[in-house]
Structure formats: C-alpha cells, structure tokens
C-alpha cells in the first residue's frame, strides 16, 4: 500500500495546485496544495488522467479477469484501494474545511488588535460616529460631556484594552462577557461565574453544616470589590444595555453592543434616559434641556442641561442666619448657609466672663468653678460654668456606707462612717468576694489559690486567682488559608486569620500576590504596564501581563535614528520598530564625468534581487523565493538638461548631460541657395562656413544647387514668363506686344507689355484710347459727344429739347441737361386756367346729364316691371300703399346741386384774383 501511494505521489506531483501525498503517522495521508477540494490529477481523483505506473485500472482489471482466473482477485483489490483512497481523501477534505472555517472565525471574532491598522482606523471612526449619532443629533452636537463615555468606547477598540483581569486574556468579539455595574470592567462570562462561585464558597466554608446555605453571602467584583448578591451571579450573556440576550456579532458596531438606543436611567436619576447607542462604560450626564432657577430663587428661570440644572446666580444669598441678627452675604449657594462669620462680645453661661467670639456660637462656657453657696449654706457649687440653679447639696439626705449595706441620715457636714460588716464586693476575678470589713477605696487583689485550666483547655495548675494561666502548647490547627498552622501558644480555638503573605505568582507572571495568605484564586494583578513605542514618547497603559501580546502604539513623533546612507539627515518619518524605510532624498553626489549633482533618489541601500543562485535538482523541487540584498548602486547617467545647438543651427534643445553632442534636428536645412529664391531641402546637416557664406541663412558647399527655372512673380498684367533661368535680382522688362481693347470695346490696339505694366492710371487710359467719338448713349437718349474714354459718360448734354406747360398750350425750346436737372419749368397762365375751368364745367355738365339719363332709364324699367305685376297684386298694393311726402331737397336736388357748384367756383375765382 505504501509503495502504491509513493507511485501515485511521484506520478502526479506536478499536477495543478502542486498537491502531493505521502504516508503520515496518524492521519494516513498529508496533503499540501492550494485548497481542500479535489484537483485535477490529485490523490483520489476519479476523473480522466494518466494512470500511475504500476496501478491497475478497472478496465484493465476486467480484461485481465476475463483472461485469467486470478482476475477477480485483482479487481477486488483495486476497488478496495480506490474506496480507501476516496475515504481518506474525504477525511482530509473535511479536516481542511474545518481548519479554514476556524481560521475565518478567529479572524473575524478577534478584537481590534488583530485587525489591520489602516482598516481599524477607518472602522473605528465610523463605529464611534455611529455610536454617538443619536446623542449629537438631539443635543446640537455638544461633545464635552461625552469624554468619559468616549474613553470607554475608545478602549473597546484599542488594542489590548479589552482584557479579562481574571484570566489575563483578550476579550474577543464573539465571546460572552459580563460588565461590572460599579467599575464597568469587562470579564469573560465563564471567568466571572467561577469567580463568584469560589468567592461564595470561601466565605461560607467556615460555617457548620447546619448554617450552610441559609444565608445569602455576597461575592465581590475582582477589580472594584463592589459586592453582589448570590442571585446576581450572571448566567446569561446580555448586551451593555441589557435589552438583547446573546447580541449578534456586527463588525460595524461596538463589540458586544446591540446597536439600539441605550435608554438606561441616568445616575443620579433625573427622569430621563440615555440617548447613546448601546455602549460600554457609564452613561454621560443627562443632556436634556430643562428650565430651572438658581439656588436662591431670585433669578429668572433659564434653560440649562439637566445634568447642570442647579446653578448659582452669584448674587448675595440674603437668608437670615442662625444667630438671628445678620443675613448671609455669600453668593447664591446650595444647602444651608454657613455659620455667621461676624465677631461680637458675648458673656459666658455663668455671666462671669465676657469675650469676643463668633456670632455663630453665642453659648459658651468659661473654665471657672461656679462657687455659689448651695442651699445647705455649708458648701459651694463645684460645677464649672453651668446654666440654671446649682441644685441641692450632694451630701444632704440619706447616704450609704462604703459597702452599700447600711444607710445613715446625717448632716451634710459629717462623713458617713463604716458599718463594720464584711465588704462582700465581687473582686476583679469575678469569682470571689472581698473578705475585708466595710472600707473606703477599692478592694485589694484576689489572692486565693485555685486550680485553673489553661486557655486551650489541655492543662491545669494551682496558682493565684488573679494570674492568667497560659500553657506552652502550640496550636496545630490550620488557619483560614488552609495552608499554614496557627502555631499560637495556648490557642482557645478561634485561630486568627493568617498573617503571612500569599506570595503566589499572579496571572500576569510578573508579580506575586501582595495580600495575606488566602484560599481560592488570587485577585488580579493591580499593576499596569506601559507599552511604549521605539522612542518611548508614546505609550499605552495595559494590565500587567498583557505587555507581551499588545502591539506597541503608533507614535506620532519623528524617528530619531541616524541615517544609514551618505546623507547627513534622513527623511522625516514617524517612530517605528525595525529598520528605517529606504531613503528617498536626492542623491546629490558629484558626478565624475560632468561635475553635476546626482538628482536620482538615494541608492546607497537599494534592494537587489538575486537570481540564479540555486539551481533546482529536478522538476519536483519547489522553486525558492528570490532573495534580496542591500547594495549601493552607481549613480545613473546625468540627466541635467544642457542647451545644445543642432548641426544646421535651427534650434537649441535641452539634451541630457550624458548625451550631449552634435545631432540633427531632422528638419529641412532651409538655407537660401545662390539663386536667392529657393532653400536647401536636405535634412539638417553640417554646413561649412566660408568667407563667402557667413550667417545661418546662407547655403554652404554641402547644400544643394538650384536647377529650376525662374519662378518669380511677373508684374501685374504681364502674362509672359521670364526668359532667364532661376536668377537673383529683378527679371528684365518684357518687350512682347500685348493686344488690348480700347475703352469703347470696338477697336483692338497693340502695345508693348512693359509699357502697359509700368504705366500709371492716366497713361493706361491714354494707351487704351482709340481717338474716336464715344458710341455710348446718355440717359437722356442722346449720343455722348466725348472722345473714347474709360468709365461712365459725363452727363453734359447740350442739345435743344421742347418743353410744354401742364395743359400743353404753351411750348418752348431749352437745353437737355437743364431740363433733366429740373432747373427750368413752364407754368400755365390765366388763359390756361380759364380754359381748364370751362373744360371742367363742361365735363361736369356732361356727367350730370349722363346721370340723369341713367336715372330715367332705370325709372322706366321699374315702371314697366311694376305694370307687369300690377294685375296680380292690385288688392295687396292698395292695402299696403302709404302716402310718403317728399322733402324739398328730394324734389329739387337735381336743380340745386349744379347751382351750388357754380357758386363755389365763382367764389374761389374771386378769392384768387383778390390775392393776386
């Protein structure tokens, strides 16, 4: 079996995921691969793939079974091997899945010390902001009263802060905890349950069996010693506010919080409830706003926080003091007024002395004896300064003898005699009585010899009654610590508590228990340890014993280590452990080639990957991780820009210092050739400057030679090309004849090209004139009288034209240009006007006659039409006819209208002649 597994491992060692199998002691097979799932070619895979050499497949086994009688045995063996392999593979798969699940749970259930620094910082800010949302929303963001509670919330996230003081272990997010209501310290639930059980057992252990369980003995908090009843022993896991049992794990909430509003009563109670989300530590002072007045009730009520609703107006109190004479002058205060601070002369109780005393204590006693004569007249009062009467004489009335057996009635001046009987008072021993006769003063010491038992009751001895008897036997009973014997001489049985030091090593492993010897577990170590950063300026205080597992705090101070490179000072970075980060300052070393300073980042301690150091012996060997070593690298080539001119002197470009040299800018040369018209079209090249070509724009021997024709622009109007090849200077004048039209576009003229191109405007007009009369017509319709000319013809027509008056009666001959310019006009005279008037009258009469004729025709047609309808509507017409009387205007309008018109015309003519 082992050989077959080795064959499988050797044949499939290079499978995907590099899963290998080998025999192992205990679990049978050990897998080393990328995951717990089945991989292609892995051990126990049932998929296709090359079978290992020496392993039998089911098909081969079947064929061999058919070929030989031993085939069935081989088939059974191969099936059994495959089943065993499959079973072992499933076991290993389940084990890997369980391990992965446990790893994930530990990762997410750990406290903040197990999270990444960057993720933790971001989460903590969000969690704290979410915790204080309700409080800040309702109280306008007043965060001053939240510092104490914020500290507890911060410690809930801080690395190493949440530590169980009983077991000195971290309190993880997914562990059940219990919080003390006195000091708000957090403990594991199993730890505090065991602590309470042990504490109750130790307290009740000295009791008898009859008394055990009848009394409710308390148990203390391990940190603050706050006592809890037996019924208060925690049995279930609740959130901080006590609303939710077994609060679910939420990475965005405070650990062990339910995320709901706290709603616990404030302490001291004020009737309001906490507005924060479920949080560790005490609730902050009440943030509600209430309207309240000051202590003395003089000021007007103002709104204040409920936690600070009691306030002082700082005005004088004014309440009457106990002396009854003065008033309180202190500023407004709480509680009763202070005693009156003034001083006055007051008599003592007996009235013998007068002294200056505080007004707050008017009754006082002097140190003199009263001395007043008592009523007996023989004695004086021996009391010191008292109030009231002195009373009767203490020696008056019946008095007893010293033994209190006989009573005598004697004057106060005589002493009571002894009675002669035995004293018989109980002596100090409490057993025997005094045998002397009645006497004054104390009785003597008891001198009778008795047989006395020692205090422990083990020995007896005869000795005087007044002497105590203590034997030398030492007590062998165990003290309450159950570790040490009493060892007290003649112990009566009530052995005192053990007074030796406990001395056991505490859970912190650093200190020993300083308490007296005791039973049960020792209290947690009360010491704290400062976990410091590398420089020691930043520290975090953790319980003793947690310094080994607590991360050092993040220090905001600058690292003070000396630089490890050639720089005099290193880059500023925060304090840290381990080696400093690589230096990123500019190298600034002087380069040997050019003398510039190296601008590259510091490369004195560059990490270089080493490759090729180890050659694998075969494909089965895992490649080793590359090794990095720190070494100083040479400075890179100088990159300082140097202004360098190209070969053709076209530009000055900044080139890296290490690449400075002659270079071509890849532009066209562009130097002017000898023709002075074209430029060199070669790529930027070196040009040798000689005496005949000095300057950046003149071509040199290396430039091209111009072989083109003249391409200079011809004079305006010359259509002929230059007859010379490409040449410098101006082209020669053109002597070819040019055919042009005259101004009137009728005659063709031949002129030399240079004359027409070099002439000015007047000369061109003369050259283009054919010397004939202009054939163009003027706007008036007459022909232009000027010689062939350019532009528009001048409007100066002098021909005679006939002009008539408006009525066409008067006619005159005038010049055409004056008539066109409206300089001369012919008006009608009086005769024309009279003739016009008569003509208008004739026209009006004709129009009036035509109108009357038209009316008569229409009247005739109307009468004819009415005559045709007369027979049919005769009756109706007679009934409907109504006689209508015509007005004067309707009767004589045809006569009045021409008469009125004639009157108007005569009146107008008369007015015109009067004005003239």
């Amino acid at each position: 079996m082992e050989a077959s597994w080795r064959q499988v491992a050797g044949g499939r060692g290079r499978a995907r995921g590099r899963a290998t199998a080998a025999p192992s002691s205990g679990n049978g097979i050990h897998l080393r691969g990328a995951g717990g799932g089945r991989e292609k070619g892995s051990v126990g895979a049932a998929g296709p793939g090359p079978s290992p050499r020496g392993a039998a497949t089911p098909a081969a086994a079947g064929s061999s079974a058919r070929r030989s009688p031993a085939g069935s045995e081989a088939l059974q063996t191969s099936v059994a091997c495959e089943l065993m392999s499959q079973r072992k593979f499933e076991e290993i798969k389940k084990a890997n899945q369980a391990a992965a699940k446990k790893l994930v749970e530990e990762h997410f259930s750990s406290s903040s010390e197990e999270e990444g620094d960057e993720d933790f910082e971001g989460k903590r800010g969000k969690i704290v902001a979410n915790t204080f949302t309700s409080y800040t929303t309702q109280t306008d963001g007043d965060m001053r009263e939240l510092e104490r509670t914020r500290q507890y919330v911060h410690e809930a996230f801080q690395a190493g802060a949440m530590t169980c003081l009983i077991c000195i272990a971290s309190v993880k997010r997914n562990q059940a905890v219990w919080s003390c209501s006195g000091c708000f310290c957090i403990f594991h639930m199993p730890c505090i349950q065991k602590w309470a059980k042990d504490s109750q057992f130790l307290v009740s252990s000295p009791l008898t069996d009859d008394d055990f369980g009848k009394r409710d003995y308390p148990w203390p908090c391990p940190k603050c010693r706050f006592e809890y009843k037996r019924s208060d022993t925690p049995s279930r896991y609740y959130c901080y506010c006590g609303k939710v049992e077994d609060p679910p794990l939420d990475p965005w909430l405070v650990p062990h919080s339910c995320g709901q509003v706290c709603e616990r009563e404030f302490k001291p109670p004020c009737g309001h409830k906490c507005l924060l989300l479920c949080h560790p530590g005490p609730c902050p002072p009440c943030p509600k706003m209430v309207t309240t007045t000051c202590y003395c009730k003089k000021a007007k009520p103002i709104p204040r926080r409920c936690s600070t609703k009691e306030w002082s107006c700082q005005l004088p109190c004014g309440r009457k003091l106990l002396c009854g004479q003065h008033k309180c002058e202190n500023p407004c205060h709480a509680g009763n007024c202070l005693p009156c601070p003034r001083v006055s002369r007051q008599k003592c109780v007996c009235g013998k002395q007068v002294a200056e005393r505080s007004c707050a204590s008017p009754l006082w006693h002097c140190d003199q004896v009263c001395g007043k004569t008592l009523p007996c007249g023989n004695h004086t009062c021996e009391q010191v300064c008292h109030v009231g009467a002195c009373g009767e004489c203490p020696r008056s009335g019946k008095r007893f003898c010293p033994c209190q057996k006989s009573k005598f009635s004697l004057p106060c001046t005589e002493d009571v005699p002894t009675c002669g009987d035995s004293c018989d008072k109980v002596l100090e021993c409490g057993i025997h009585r005094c045998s002397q006769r009645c006497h004054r003063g104390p009785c003597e010491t008891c001198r009778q010899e008795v047989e006395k038992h020692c205090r422990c009751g083990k020995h007896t001895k005869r000795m005087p009654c007044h002497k105590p008897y203590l034997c030398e036997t030492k007590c062998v009973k165990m003290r309450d610590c159950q570790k040490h014997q009493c060892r007290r001489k003649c112990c009566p049985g009530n052995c005192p508590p053990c007074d030796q030091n406990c001395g056991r090593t505490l859970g912190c492993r650093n200190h020993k228990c300083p308490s007296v010897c005791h039973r049960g577990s020792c209290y947690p170590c009360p010491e704290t340890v400062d976990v410091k950063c590398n420089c020691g300026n930043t520290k975090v205080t953790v319980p003793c014993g947690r310094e080994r597992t607590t991360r050092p705090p993040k220090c905001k101070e600058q690292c003070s280590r000396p630089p490890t490179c050639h720089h005099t000072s290193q880059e500023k970075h925060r304090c840290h452990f381990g080696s400093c980060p690589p230096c990123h300052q500019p190298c600034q070393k002087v380069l040997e080639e050019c003398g510039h300073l190296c601008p590259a980042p510091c490369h004195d301690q560059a990490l270089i990957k080493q490759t090729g150091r180890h050659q694998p012996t075969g494909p089965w060997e895992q490649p080793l991780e590359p090794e990095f070593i720190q070494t100083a690298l040479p400075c890179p080539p100088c990159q300082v820009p140097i202004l360098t001119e190209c070969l053709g002197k076209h530009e000055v470009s900044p080139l890296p210092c290490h690449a400075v040299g002659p270079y071509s800018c890849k532009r066209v040369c562009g130097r002017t050739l000898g023709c002075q018209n074209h430029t060199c079209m070669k790529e930027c090249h070196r040009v040798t400057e000689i005496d005949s070509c000095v300057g950046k724009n003149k071509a040199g021997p290396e430039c091209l030679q111009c072989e083109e024709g003249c391409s200079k622009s011809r004079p305006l109007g010359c259509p002929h090309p230059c007859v010379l090849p490409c040449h410098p200077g101006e082209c020669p004048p053109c002597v070819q004849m040019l055919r042009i039209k005259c101004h009137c576009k009728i005659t063709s003229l031949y002129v030399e090209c240079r004359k027409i191109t070099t002439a000015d405007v007047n000369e061109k007009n003369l050259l283009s004139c054919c010397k004939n009369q202009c054939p163009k017509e003027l706007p008036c319709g007459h022909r232009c009288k000027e010689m062939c000319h350019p532009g528009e013809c001048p409007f100066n027509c002098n021909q005679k034209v006939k002009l008539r008056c408006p009525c066409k009666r008067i006619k005159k001959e005038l010049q055409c240009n004056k008539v066109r310019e409206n300089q001369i006009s012919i008006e009608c005279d009086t005769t024309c006007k009279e003739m016009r008037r008569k003509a208008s009258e004739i026209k009006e009469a004709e129009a009036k006659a035509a109108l009357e004729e038209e009316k008569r025709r229409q009247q005739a047609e109307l009468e004819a039409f009415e005559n045709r309808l007369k027979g049919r509507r005769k009756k109706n017409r007679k009934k409907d006819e109504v006689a209508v009387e015509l007005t004067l205007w309707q009767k004589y309008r045809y006569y009045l209208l021409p008469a009125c018109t004639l009157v108007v015309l005569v009146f107008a003519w008369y007015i015109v002649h009067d004005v003239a």
Side-chain angles (χ1 to χ4, degrees), residues 17 27 51 114 116 251 336 359 363 421 436 447 598 648 759 795 837 840 842:
N27 294 332
S51 299
E114 299 174 8
N336 296 328
C359 189
L363 298 179
D421 198 356
Q436 294 181 358
R447 300 184 182 275
C598 178
F795 189 66
R837 183 181 62 78
S840 62
I842 295 172

Side-chain angles (χ1 to χ4, degrees), residues 17-20 31-36 39:
R18 303 194 63 83
T20 59
L31 285 181
R32 182 179 62 196
E39 299 181 0

Side-chain angles (χ1 to χ4, degrees), residues 245 360 470 473 491 498-499 563 623 731 813 854 868:
E245 181 180 355
L470 299 177
T473 304
C491 179
C498 185
D499 55 355
C731 294
E813 289 186 358
E854 180 66 22
R868 286 195 300 269

Side-chain angles (χ1 to χ4, degrees), residues 660-727:
V660 170
Y663 76 99
S664 173
C665 64
K666 305 301 180 181
R667 297 182 184 176
V668 177
C669 176
R671 289 177 176 262
T672 305
L673 299 179
C675 65
Q676 302 296 323
N677 298 323
H678 300 93
T679 57
C680 179
M681 300 303 294
K682 274 187 177 182
E683 190 179 278
C684 178
H685 59 88
R686 186 183 298 276
V687 178
T688 303
E689 296 184 358
I690 56 179
D691 296 339
S692 59
C693 56
V694 179
K696 293 183 179 181
N697 296 327
K698 292 186 178 181
E702 295 84 359
C703 294
L704 295 175
Q705 299 296 326
C706 182
E707 297 178 356
E708 299 182 5
C710 180
S711 59
K712 291 183 179 180
S713 59
R714 303 298 293 165
L716 185 63
C718 178
H720 310 108
C722 181
V723 295
L724 299 179
C726 187
H727 60 87

Side-chain angles (χ1 to χ4, degrees), residues 413-642:
T413 55
E414 297 182 6
D415 294 331
V416 177
T418 58
C419 64
D421 198 356
S422 59
C423 179
D424 206 22
K425 289 181 180 179
V426 180
L427 298 178
E428 292 180 356
C429 64
I431 300 174
H432 305 103
R433 294 181 178 271
C434 181
S435 59
Q436 294 181 358
R437 292 188 180 275
C438 180
H439 62 87
R440 291 183 177 89
C443 298
E444 63 180 5
T445 305
C446 182
R447 300 184 182 275
Q448 294 188 28
E449 286 191 2
V450 294
E451 188 172 347
K452 300 186 73 173
H453 289 273
C454 64
R455 190 167 55 182
C456 64
K458 294 181 179 180
H459 304 279
T460 58
K461 183 180 181 181
R462 290 193 66 85
M463 58 185 307
C465 183
H466 69 278
K467 291 183 178 181
Y469 174 39
L470 299 177
C471 67
E472 297 295 327
T473 304
K474 293 184 179 180
C475 181
V476 295
K477 290 183 178 181
M478 300 299 290
R479 295 194 179 186
D480 57 352
C481 65
Q482 298 298 320
K483 294 180 181 179
H484 304 104
Q485 291 181 346
C486 178
R487 307 303 294 172
R488 189 174 60 161
K489 290 182 179 181
C490 195
C491 179
N494 54 345
C495 301
C498 185
D499 55 355
Q500 298 187 29
N501 288 334
C502 177
R504 287 186 291 179
T505 302
L506 299 177
C508 65
R509 307 291 182 184
N510 297 328
H511 304 95
K512 294 184 178 181
C513 181
S515 304
V516 295
C517 191
H518 58 86
R519 285 188 296 172
S521 302
C522 297
Y523 279 97
C525 181
E527 301 294 333
T528 57
V529 180
D530 292 338
V531 179
K532 298 182 179 180
C533 63
N534 188 34
C535 65
N537 292 330
T538 305
K539 61 183 180 180
V540 58
T541 303
V542 297
C544 182
R546 290 291 297 169
E547 68 275 7
R548 302 181 187 90
T549 58
T550 302
R551 290 182 181 179
K554 287 185 177 181
C555 181
K556 296 184 179 180
E557 300 293 333
Q558 301 295 331
C559 180
S560 58
R561 295 181 183 178
T564 56
C565 58
H566 67 279
H567 291 103
T568 57
S569 61
Q570 62 178 350
E571 288 182 309
K572 292 184 178 180
H573 59 279
R574 292 184 178 179
C575 173
H576 60 91
F577 288 93
S579 58
C580 292
C583 179
H584 297 287
Q585 300 182 71
C587 177
Q588 296 297 314
K589 288 183 179 179
V590 179
L591 301 176
E592 297 179 357
E593 296 82 2
C594 58
H596 293 123
L597 299 179
C598 178
C602 181
H603 44 80
D604 285 354
Q605 292 181 338
L607 289 176
I608 303 300
K609 180 180 178 181
Q610 286 189 332
T611 57
R613 297 184 59 189
H614 176 74
Q615 296 296 333
T617 57
W620 58 85
E621 185 174 354
Q622 294 278 354
L624 298 178
E625 294 183 358
E627 294 184 2
F628 294 87
I629 60 172
Q630 285 187 346
T631 182
L633 297 179
C635 293
C638 182
Q639 300 293 332
V640 175
I642 302 297

Side-chain angles (χ1 to χ4, degrees), residues 119 372 433 438 484 619 751 759 806 853 907:
D119 295 341
K372 294 180 180 179
R433 294 181 178 271
C438 180
H484 304 104
V751 185
E853 183 65 25
F907 182 72

